[in-house]
Amino acid sequence: MSFKRFLLGAGIGFIVGAVLKDQLTKELISPEKALRVVKRKLGKQGVVEGSWIHMIPEDYEKSLLEYTVYRGGVSCTIEGEFFQFDFIVDGHTGAILELTSQD
């Protein structure tokens, strides 16, 4: 094996390892930030009256994809009507994965 091939293989391995490390060790956002995301989105529709969030993240599967999520709830007034919503937020991105109205 030539020294050039060895260096090329080692370089490629180093780059792939660095990229995978970043993907695998991605930090979770704080539960407070996740709650702010939901409140900001629903605040565009009406007035947020109250909210809560579980502080401990949990595993969640949707459409064969696995997520680390926070669960919580928000109560708000939209066009004069009072609503309560449960939500599930992706713990890495803050994206709302599920928002359901309590009837």
Side-chain angles (χ1 to χ4, degrees):
M1 175 186 272
S2 73
F3 188 66
K4 287 182 181 180
R5 284 189 175 198
F6 173 76
L7 285 178
L8 179 64
I12 290 171
F14 178 76
I15 291 169
V16 169
V19 169
L20 285 177
K21 178 185 171 277
D22 286 343
Q23 295 296 320
L24 295 175
T25 60
K26 194 172 184 184
E27 296 280 327
L28 290 175
I29 62 173
S30 70
E32 293 86 0
K33 183 174 181 180
L35 184 57
R36 279 194 306 268
V37 168
V38 175
K39 288 170 63 174
R40 185 176 42 230
K41 293 286 186 182
L42 287 176
K44 292 179 182 178
Q45 305 299 319
V47 178
V48 174
E49 305 287 342
S51 61
W52 60 272
I53 191 164
H54 285 279
M55 301 300 280
I56 300 171
E58 59 185 72
D59 294 330
Y60 176 74
E61 184 177 320
K62 182 175 184 174
S63 302
L64 301 176
L65 299 173
E66 293 183 12
Y67 300 93
T68 301
V69 301
Y70 294 109
R71 292 181 183 265
V74 175
S75 57
C76 59
T77 303
I78 302 173
E79 296 180 3
E81 283 192 64
F82 186 75
F83 294 93
Q84 292 183 334
F85 297 98
D86 290 328
F87 63 83
I88 298 175
V89 176
D90 184 352
H92 293 287
T93 65
I96 300 171
L97 299 175
E98 192 171 309
L99 183 68
T100 55
S101 177
Q102 295 179 352
D103 294 326

